[in-house]
């Protein structure tokens, strides 16, 4: 019998290539601080551009001080943020006060800039529940510890906004590792199915603690995971504050127009360890890779961009550095002055009203605490 | 007053609270047009619209997370987990998230969520449908766990659960859904959470139980009476927190007790009740407090479940052991 060339039922290779070619990285400002994509340039005033730079410098100082406070035993859990300023702060900068942020544990800077007092961020780091007692009118929740849980909650918050007819979005953050979690998929899928005003950000800093992003998935980008949920996805240069801002701003506009959620992948890098609890990045990252990413630094390129426009100078930089240091000093003092959390406090906050067992245990611990 | 099955009483409670409070939302898998696989939400979508009563994608963790988020937005979500054996898929949302919302936010936010779910043996389900997992829930501080045994209680307790500002796990025994009818007022009423009910007064032994086992215990009490033993039957109704006052008052009167649960013997509600009695009423006891429970295996396949499930005969046997100690 003559052999026939059997035709594949479908062209798997072509299918995947077609998906991947849709996810080119959006960049507006290159590493030299030059605008390479004028048409995507967001509509920001000079003052807004300066403010975004101030926030990034401030947050870099906050990171350095937090690391040193942690080493002195004056802060508890801390996940370093240096390198991710564009991804974190430019995304928050595109929001309005009424938007609701559901952060992961590295996303403390966003909620500070959304209104959480610095002293409370420090209390949260120390594991004091006053840290999570968000002031009225500040639309955030304390950072999530469980990877991805905030994704489905964001779908819920956004569904609530839609039901109430609010002109606001829910925005949530996870990392490249988080994009492997079931709740990630459930979150984007629910949000798509209900067409709610949500923005899902994946800060792809290339390592989930030590596991490289290449080992997380066969997908070439995380942005393309949006396709399966039937929602738009975009990959942006997460070291470029203008690209991050533009992507979030557009996603927000679409959400407010009733066009549903967006998944945004920001390509970024954390210079420091995963957390301050003993992680050693030299075990899984080369210094070559560190150097390669440090050249992409968001502060460096944004500073060049602003200096070229005569919108930034050394005095402005020093002024914000001094302000950050002073704010941190005041906030840590305030955190120190907050009464320590007691077991009886914890008991009184498990339920609206203590059940019999807690009432009895409360008396026992009140006695213990009085000694 | 109308005669209602438990499932009708549950629907009636949902309807009552959907009418009373515009923030109440009912959602889950197949709860919309289909009215739920047991028809607990029958007609509610038609009556209250798709905005208030809606189907979700098939993902339990997503349903739990949605409830957390809607709770943050001031809603009062009443999600359904189609069968409680599926709870493992939503454990983080329940124990890791809902139960900790008040603590984690320093009291700023609460999670006024009632998760309804069918469970319980004797109805020949496939695996992972019938398991009694209330012990798993009761171990989590921050949650309340409610299990009604009658249509009347189901309505009153569900209304209280929905109005409660803390998360409540409301477990509905499948065998009780349609096994009998009872007079249930059409108007609203509530039964406080955390309050047990003395179903039958007695003086020789206290039988403390909940859910479908309440009916086995009542049957056992009737048989015991024929033999001259007066048994008091207590329906916990809320298994976390338990009504310690009612339990201890009864044990102090009868001086003997057994605790009956459909769940496996290892850990669980009965072990806690026994420990609390020992802690608080040891000097009143004339005999050790024994348990009647299922064996420590996973839930039996249908062919073996009749033997696996505790029944009134097991209760009589254990009660006699305690009485004759």
């Amino acid at each position: 019998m003559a052999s026939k060339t059997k035709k594949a039922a479908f062209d798997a290779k072509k299918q995947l290539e077609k998906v991947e070619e849709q996810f080119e990285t959006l960049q507006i400002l290159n590493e030299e601080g030059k605008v390479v994509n004028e048409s995507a340039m967001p509509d920001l005033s000079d003052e807004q551009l300066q403010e975004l730079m101030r926030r990034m410098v401030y947050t870099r100082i906050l990171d350095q001080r937090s690391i040193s406070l942690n080493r002195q035993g004056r802060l508890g859990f801390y996940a370093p943020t240096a390198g991710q300023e564009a991804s974190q702060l430019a995304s928050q900068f595109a929001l309005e006060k009424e938007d609701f942020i559901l952060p992961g544990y590295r996303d403390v800077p966003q909620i500070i800039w959304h209104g959480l007092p610095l002293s409370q961020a420090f209390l949260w780091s120390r594991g004091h529940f006053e840290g999570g007692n968000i002031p009225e009118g500040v639309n955030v929740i304390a950072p999530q510890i469980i990877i991805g849980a905030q994704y489905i909650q964001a779908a819920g918050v956004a569904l609530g906004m839609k039901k109430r007819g609010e002109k606001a979005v829910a925005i949530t953050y996870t990392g490249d590792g988080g994009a492997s979690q079931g709740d990630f998929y459930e979150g984007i899928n629910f949000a798509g199915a209900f067409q709610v005003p949500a923005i899902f950000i994946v800060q792809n800093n290339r390592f989930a603690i030590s596991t490289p992003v290449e080992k997380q998935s066969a997908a070439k980008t995380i942005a393309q995971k949006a396709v399966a949920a039937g929602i738009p996805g975009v990959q942006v240069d997460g070291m470029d504050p203008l690209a991050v801002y533009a992507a979030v701003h557009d996603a927000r506009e679409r959400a407010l127009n009733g066009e549903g959620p967006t998944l945004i992948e920001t390509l970024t890098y954390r210079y420091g360890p995963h957390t301050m609890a003993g992680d050693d990045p030299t075990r899984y990252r080369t210094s070559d890779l560190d150097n390669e990413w440090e050249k992409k630094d968001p502060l460096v390129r944004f500073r060049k961009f602003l200096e070229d426009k005569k919108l930034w100078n050394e005095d402005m930089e020093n002024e914000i550095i001094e302000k950050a240091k002073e704010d941190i000093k005041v906030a840590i003092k305030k955190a120190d002055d907050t009464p320590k959390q007691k077991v009886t406090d914890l008991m009184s906050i498990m339920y609206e009203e203590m059940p019999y067992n807690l009432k009895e245990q409360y008396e026992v611990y009140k006695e213990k605490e009085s000694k | 007053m109308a005669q209602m099955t438990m499932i009708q009483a549950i629907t009636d409670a949902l309807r009552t609270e959907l009418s009373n409070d515009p923030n109440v939302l009912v959602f889950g898998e197949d709860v919309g047009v289909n009215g739920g696989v047991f028809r607990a939400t029958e007609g509610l979508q038609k009556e209250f619209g798709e905005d208030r009563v809606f189907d979700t994608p098939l993902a339990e963790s997503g349903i739990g997370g949605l409830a957390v988020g809607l709770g943050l937005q001031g809603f009062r979500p009443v999600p359904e987990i189609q069968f409680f054996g599926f709870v493992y898929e939503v454990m983080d949302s329940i124990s890791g998230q809902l139960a900790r919302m008040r603590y984690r936010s320093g009291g700023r936010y609460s999670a006024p969520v009632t998760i309804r779910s069918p469970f319980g043996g004797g109805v020949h389900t496939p695996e992972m449908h019938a398991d009694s997992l209330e012990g798993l829930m009761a171990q989590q501080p921050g949650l309340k766990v409610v299990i009604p045994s009658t249509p009347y209680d189901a309505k009153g307790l569900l209304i209280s659960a929905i109005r409660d500002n803390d998360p409540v796990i409301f477990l509905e025994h499948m065998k009780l859904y349609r096994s009998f009818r009872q007079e249930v007022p059409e108007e609203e009423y509530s039964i406080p959470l955390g309050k047990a009910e003395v179903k039958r007064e007695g003086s020789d032994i206290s039988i403390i139980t909940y859910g479908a086992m309440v009916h086995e215990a009542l049957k056992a009490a009737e048989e015991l009476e024929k033999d001259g033993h007066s048994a008091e039957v207590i329906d916990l109704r809320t298994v976390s927190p338990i009504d310690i006052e009612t339990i201890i008052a009864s044990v102090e009167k009868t001086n003997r007790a057994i605790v009956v649960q459909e769940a496996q013997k290892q850990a669980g509600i009965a072990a806690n009740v026994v420990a609390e009695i020992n802690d608080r009423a040891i000097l009143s006891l004339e005999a050790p407090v024994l348990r009647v429970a299922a064996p420590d295996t996973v839930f039996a396949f249908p062919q073996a479940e009749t033997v696996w499930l505790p029944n009134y005969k097991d209760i009589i046997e254990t009660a006699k052991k305690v009485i004759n100690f």
Side-chain angles (χ1 to χ4, degrees):
Chain A
M1 241 174 42
S3 67
K4 273 194 218 162
T5 313
K6 198 167 177 291
K7 196 169 174 274
F10 74 104
D11 189 340
K13 195 162 172 264
K14 191 172 152 200
Q15 181 191 55
L16 288 175
E17 281 168 1
K18 269 199 139 175
V19 171
E20 279 147 20
E21 74 194 21
Q22 296 172 55
F23 293 92
E24 281 177 17
T25 312
L26 171 71
Q27 188 187 59
I28 294 174
L29 207 57
N30 70 10
E31 291 174 26
E32 281 74 46
K34 301 286 179 224
V35 174
V36 292
N37 189 347
E38 192 67 51
S39 64
M41 190 65 185
D43 189 18
L44 287 165
S45 68
D46 289 351
E47 291 70 29
Q48 284 175 308
L49 292 168
Q50 287 167 324
E51 176 59 18
L52 181 52
M53 183 64 189
R54 268 194 289 272
R55 291 182 181 196
M56 293 207 295
V57 174
Y58 186 110
T59 305
R60 179 70 59 91
I61 297 299
L62 175 61
D63 184 61
Q64 290 166 0
R65 289 293 299 141
S66 298
I67 288 170
S68 98
L69 286 164
N70 172 281
R71 289 194 176 128
Q72 296 162 30
R74 299 184 68 196
L75 273 190
F77 175 81
Y78 184 69
T81 59
Q84 298 191 199
E85 289 88 353
S87 172
Q88 295 184 323
L89 304 177
S91 57
Q92 191 279 329
F93 202 60
L95 305 178
E96 297 295 334
K97 204 174 163 43
E98 56 271 25
D99 297 330
F100 197 106
I101 303 180
L102 296 97
Y105 47 73
R106 202 180 307 283
D107 305 311
V108 177
Q110 295 97 303
I111 59 174
I112 291 171
W113 288 111
H114 214 58
L116 181 75
L118 196 49
S119 57
Q120 282 192 256
F122 290 154
L123 286 170
W124 180 80
S125 162
R126 290 173 177 182
H128 195 305
F129 61 52
E130 274 307 314
N133 188 352
I134 311 297
E136 205 64 48
V138 178
N139 292 315
V140 308
I141 186 168
Q144 180 59 245
I145 298 298
I146 298 300
I147 306 293
Q150 66 274 30
Y151 257 54
I152 43 178
Q153 294 170 14
V157 171
L159 181 60
M161 289 167 164
K162 184 178 177 179
K163 288 191 183 298
R164 297 224 190 273
E166 285 171 16
K167 282 281 167 209
V169 303
I171 184 168
T172 187
Y173 296 83
T174 192
D176 37 304
S180 297
Q181 188 73 276
D183 283 352
F184 165 87
Y185 294 97
E186 293 188 24
I188 61 174
N189 187 58
F190 270 57
F194 292 124
Q195 283 296 294
V196 296
I199 301 173
F200 297 97
I201 296 195
V202 175
Q203 299 186 80
N204 175 359
N205 66 17
R206 310 200 55 79
F207 293 90
I209 303 189
S210 67
T211 306
V213 66
E214 294 77 16
K215 288 190 179 169
Q216 290 291 343
S217 175
K220 292 281 185 289
T221 69
I222 291 169
Q224 77 196 57
K225 296 188 180 195
V227 173
I231 69 172
V234 59
Q235 185 184 67
V236 304
D237 178 351
M239 307 300 260
D240 169 3
L242 297 180
V244 172
Y245 180 92
V248 176
H249 181 268
D250 285 8
R252 187 174 185 276
E253 290 294 300
R254 271 199 308 280
L256 296 185
N257 285 337
E259 293 168 54
T262 304
L263 177 66
I264 298 172
E265 175 187 11
T266 63
L267 297 178
T268 183
Y269 202 74
R270 68 167 147 81
Y271 299 155
H274 164 64
T275 69
M276 294 304 293
D279 178 45
D280 173 10
T282 64
R283 292 172 69 91
Y284 54 85
R285 289 193 319 217
T286 62
S287 53
D288 283 353
L289 189 67
D290 287 351
N291 294 337
E292 185 191 315
W293 277 89
E294 275 169 28
K295 280 186 205 135
K296 300 176 196 282
D297 190 77
L299 276 67
V300 170
R301 74 172 78 173
F302 204 45
R303 189 181 290 119
K304 280 184 189 154
F305 167 73
L306 291 179
E307 280 171 355
D308 286 350
K309 291 170 79 87
K310 306 268 181 273
L311 291 174
W312 196 253
N313 57 44
E314 214 179 319
D315 288 348
M316 293 169 82
E317 179 113 2
N318 287 333
E319 192 185 326
I320 193 67
I321 289 172
E322 287 315 308
K323 178 168 171 25
K325 286 180 176 168
E326 185 56 28
D327 285 359
I328 293 163
K329 212 186 289 172
V330 171
I332 207 82
K333 171 85 172 53
K334 202 169 171 199
D336 288 344
D337 291 345
T338 305
K340 273 200 179 141
Q341 184 175 296
K342 300 196 297 287
V343 175
T344 44
D345 296 332
L346 177 57
M347 288 170 161
S348 65
I349 212 164
M350 290 312 303
Y351 295 90
E352 187 167 42
E353 202 185 317
M354 276 189 271
Y356 82 93
N357 47 333
L358 279 177
K359 273 186 199 154
E360 291 176 358
Q361 292 159 19
Y362 185 91
E363 293 308 319
V364 174
Y365 280 81
K366 205 167 114 185
E367 175 72 19
K368 278 191 186 187
E369 286 166 352
S370 71
K371 282 173 189 160
Chain B
M1 251 193 285
Q3 288 280 324
M4 288 189 202
T5 60
M6 186 189 275
I7 201 87
Q8 288 169 328
I10 286 165
T11 312
D12 197 46
L14 292 170
R15 183 183 292 113
T16 302
E17 288 312 283
L18 280 162
S19 299
N20 277 337
D21 183 349
N23 287 318
V24 170
L25 302 173
V26 170
F27 55 90
E29 295 157 9
D30 310 300
V31 304
V33 174
N34 198 39
V37 290
F38 288 101
R39 308 289 175 261
T41 55
E42 177 86 57
L44 296 180
Q45 187 176 71
K46 203 169 170 198
E47 190 173 342
F48 296 97
E50 216 174 318
D51 196 45
R52 307 276 313 280
V53 180
F54 54 94
D55 290 324
T56 64
L58 200 164
E60 284 79 18
S61 186
I63 291 168
L66 206 66
V68 177
L70 287 164
L72 286 171
Q73 284 296 101
F75 287 95
R76 205 165 269 278
V78 189
E80 176 179 297
I81 299 298
Q82 199 159 64
F83 289 92
F84 207 56
F86 309 166
V87 72
Y88 299 109
E89 291 285 342
V90 62
M91 277 303 284
D92 178 57
S93 285
I94 294 175
S95 293
Q97 309 296 328
L98 287 169
R100 293 160 191 262
M101 185 60 77
R102 193 180 287 282
Y103 152 73
R104 193 176 287 156
S105 66
R108 160 80 193 277
Y109 301 117
S110 64
V113 175
T114 300
I115 295 183
R116 289 183 40 253
S117 191
F119 81 109
V123 290
H124 305 306
T125 60
E127 204 186 352
M128 304 301 293
H129 284 62
D131 304 58
S132 290
L133 301 172
E134 64 277 9
L136 208 59
M137 297 292 108
Q139 205 200 337
Q140 176 61 53
L143 297 178
K144 295 178 184 175
V145 187
V146 175
I147 302 182
S149 68
T150 66
Y152 179 87
D153 283 359
K155 179 173 172 182
L157 289 166
L158 183 53
I159 288 174
S160 291
I162 294 171
R163 292 178 185 176
D164 201 279
N165 288 327
D166 288 308
V168 180
I169 309 299
F170 192 89
L171 300 175
E172 303 162 1
H173 200 291
M174 284 185 271
K175 198 162 184 198
L176 300 179
Y177 268 159
R178 292 187 173 84
S179 60
F180 67 100
R181 286 172 190 273
Q182 192 183 23
E183 298 251 303
V184 175
E186 276 155 79
E187 62 271 21
E188 64 177 78
Y189 64 92
S190 61
I191 295 171
L193 305 187
K195 290 279 171 228
E197 188 190 13
V198 178
K199 300 293 281 190
R200 176 194 168 104
E201 293 205 22
S203 53
D204 297 335
I205 186 167
S206 304
I207 304 175
I208 300 152
T209 187
Y210 57 93
M213 288 296 126
V214 169
H215 304 283
E216 295 295 321
L218 288 169
K219 208 162 150 187
E222 274 174 36
E223 297 291 319
L224 285 164
E225 186 158 17
K226 289 176 192 161
D227 294 335
H229 305 300
S230 163
E232 179 146 303
V233 176
I234 294 176
D235 178 0
L236 290 174
R237 301 197 291 196
T238 299
V239 299
S240 181
I242 53 173
D243 179 356
I244 199 71
E245 282 174 23
T246 301
I247 294 169
I248 297 304
S250 176
V251 172
E252 283 175 348
K253 180 176 74 174
T254 62
N255 310 115
R256 287 179 168 82
I258 62 171
V259 189
V260 185
Q261 69 180 18
E262 183 178 314
Q264 295 86 340
K265 197 167 196 174
Q266 63 182 58
I269 305 301
N272 183 43
V273 172
V274 173
E276 289 282 25
I277 293 171
N278 288 338
D279 278 357
R280 292 159 198 269
I282 193 89
L283 295 177
S284 301
L285 291 174
E286 297 288 348
V289 183
L290 297 186
R291 283 175 289 171
V292 178
D296 293 329
T297 67
V298 295
F299 191 92
F301 281 114
Q303 286 199 348
E305 77 177 323
T306 313
V307 178
W308 191 86
L309 290 165
N311 62 29
Y312 74 99
K313 290 178 191 160
D314 303 318
I315 299 171
I316 293 168
E317 195 185 313
T318 305
K320 284 189 173 168
K321 258 192 223 169
V322 171
I323 291 166
N324 299 323
F325 180 77

